[in-house]
């Protein structure tokens, strides 16, 4: 059994559904302290986090990740128990196997092997680990980064272990992410009887022309790194429960995934302008889940691409697609940020899994990255 598989199984067997850690961080901390890391536990609210660092000189290469996982869902949909961490035909099954306890295990074992080779590396290695990535993400990486910034402690490079790969390990590296803006719109009409529409005002009818405009709007054309901004409606609700009543209001939640061509403020202004042009009576509230970030190039990009090529034999593709990650909290500090982890085909699904040889290869890629940047 490989050291990486052994540690990944120990982590998966701890049912650390957000924001509960269930001792996962303690397990990692013991391994890191044994190879010379100074560990600082950083609890905010109900969330356990830690910052670990080995060395005091720069540059600083940080590994970032999360020990929390999403709930397993209906257990009958799992072929093997989600927290048993069973291996079948060379595949490790369990909640968090790919997202992202496998990556955490690979990070730790890669550092153990690298420190054995290079007890005095040319810089510092760090870990930023949270138990609040899959949830609200308010008391996790964001708070740790704020604490580090307040005392002037910086990361030069940060590798996030999110599952970035598509068809084979390392074929895709995320070098940025789109921003995410949520809006909750309430449109007010006038409740009445459906047989007397002249005495009522249907909020959906009032919204429809503006909604058509919002769905057809070209927000931007993207750029070399990002696709065009997208507008989607996850939820739209209206009605009183009666079939003969025109409802008095409508609630709609929408989301925009936006590129570096736009800011949340510009998007909000354009949406308000469209709604106002159609004379709607409305209220709206906003939440910025994350601003876009991009590491277009630099030492980390080149080292990560070379590490994959040396271990796997092919050059990865840089990509910014997918959802948000905690990289959005780290990039504004000026650090170069990349995401590199296992294949993402089964994340958040029943029967989440990762190939055992993929875990070993991932540890080898991380180890090679350490050699190239700090060796």
């Amino acid at each position: 059994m490989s050291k990486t598989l052994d540690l990944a199984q120990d982590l998966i067997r701890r049912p650390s559904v957000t924001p509960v850690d269930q001792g996962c961080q303690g397990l990692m901390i013991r391994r890191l302290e044994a190879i010379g890391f100074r560990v600082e536990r950083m609890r905010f609210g109900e969330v356990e986090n830690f910052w670990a660092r080995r060395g005091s000189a720069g540059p600083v290469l940080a590994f970032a990740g999360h020990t929390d996982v999403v709930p397993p869902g209906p257990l009958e949909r799992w072929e093997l128990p989600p927290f048993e961490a069973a291996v079948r035909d060379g595949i490790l099954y369990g909640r968090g196997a790919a997202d992202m306890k496998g990556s955490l295990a690979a990070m730790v074992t890669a550092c153990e092997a690298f420190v054995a080779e290079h007890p005095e590396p040319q810089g510092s290695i760090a870990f930023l680990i949270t138990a609040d990535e899959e949830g609200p993400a308010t008391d996790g990486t964001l708070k740790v980064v704020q604490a580090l910034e307040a005392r002037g402690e910086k990361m030069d490079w940060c590798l996030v272990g999110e599952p970035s790969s598509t068809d084979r390990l390392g074929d895709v590296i995320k070098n940025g992410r789109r921003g995410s803006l949520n809006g909750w719109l309430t449109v007010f009409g006038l409740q009445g009887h459906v047989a007397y529409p002249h005495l009522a005002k249907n909020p959906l009818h009032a919204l429809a022309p503006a909604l058509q405009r919002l769905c057809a709007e070209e927000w931007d054309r993207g750029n070399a790194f990002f696709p065009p901004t997208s507008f989607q409606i996850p939820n739209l609700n209206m009605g009183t429960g009666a079939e003969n009543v025109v409802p008095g209001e409508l609630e709609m939640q929408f989301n925009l995934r936006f590129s570096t061509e736009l800011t949340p403020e510009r998007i909000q202004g354009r949406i308000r302008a469209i709604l106002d042009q159609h004379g709607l009576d409305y209220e709206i509230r906003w939440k910025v889940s994350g601003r876009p970030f991009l590491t277009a190039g630099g030492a980390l990009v080149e080292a990560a691409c070379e590490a994959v090529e040396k271990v796997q034999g092919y050059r990865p593709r840089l990509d910014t697609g997918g959802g948000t990650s905690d990289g959005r909290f780290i990039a504004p500090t000026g650090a170069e940020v990349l995401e590199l982890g296992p294949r993402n085909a089964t994340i958040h699904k029943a029967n989440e899994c990762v190939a055992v040889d993929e875990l070993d290869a991932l540890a080898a890629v991380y180890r090679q990255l350490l050699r190239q940047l700090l060796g």
Side-chain angles (χ1 to χ4, degrees), residues 79-226:
E79 295 180 11
L80 298 167
F83 298 112
E84 188 175 283
V87 175
R88 176 187 289 177
D89 299 326
I91 305 295
L92 170 63
Y93 290 86
R95 176 57 82 225
D99 187 15
M100 56 175 288
K101 292 182 175 181
S103 295
L104 297 180
M107 291 172 179
V108 171
T109 59
C111 285
E112 290 173 338
F114 175 75
V115 167
E117 289 179 344
H118 303 275
E120 298 295 333
Q122 299 175 17
S124 298
I125 314 169
F127 276 73
L128 195 170
I129 305 298
T130 183
D132 184 36
E133 195 273 347
E134 299 288 8
T138 55
D139 289 326
T141 300
L142 174 62
K143 291 287 181 65
V144 175
V145 168
Q146 289 173 343
L148 295 175
E149 286 285 285
R151 68 193 192 199
E153 192 166 1
K154 293 280 191 179
M155 293 170 268
D156 295 281
W157 308 304
C158 182
L159 191 142
V160 185
E162 290 292 343
S164 63
S165 304
T166 302
D167 298 317
R168 50 186 179 170
L169 177 69
D171 61 351
V172 176
I173 293 177
K174 302 290 186 182
N175 67 325
R177 292 282 189 166
R178 294 174 295 175
S180 177
L181 173 65
N182 291 292
W184 287 266
L185 172 69
T186 302
V187 178
F188 300 100
L190 179 63
Q191 184 173 317
H193 197 293
V194 295
Y196 300 92
H198 60 290
L199 298 178
K201 183 178 180 180
N202 191 310
L204 179 57
H205 294 188
L207 174 63
L211 185 56
Q212 183 180 25
R213 170 79 183 279
L214 290 169
C215 292
E217 183 77 359
E218 182 181 79
W219 303 96
D220 60 29
R221 296 184 178 181
N223 55 36
F225 297 97
F226 291 92

Side-chain angles (χ1 to χ4, degrees), residues 38 52 59 63 120 187 255 296 367 373:
R38 301 186 311 276
F63 291 96
E120 298 295 333
V187 178
N255 175 271
R367 182 179 180 182
L373 290 174

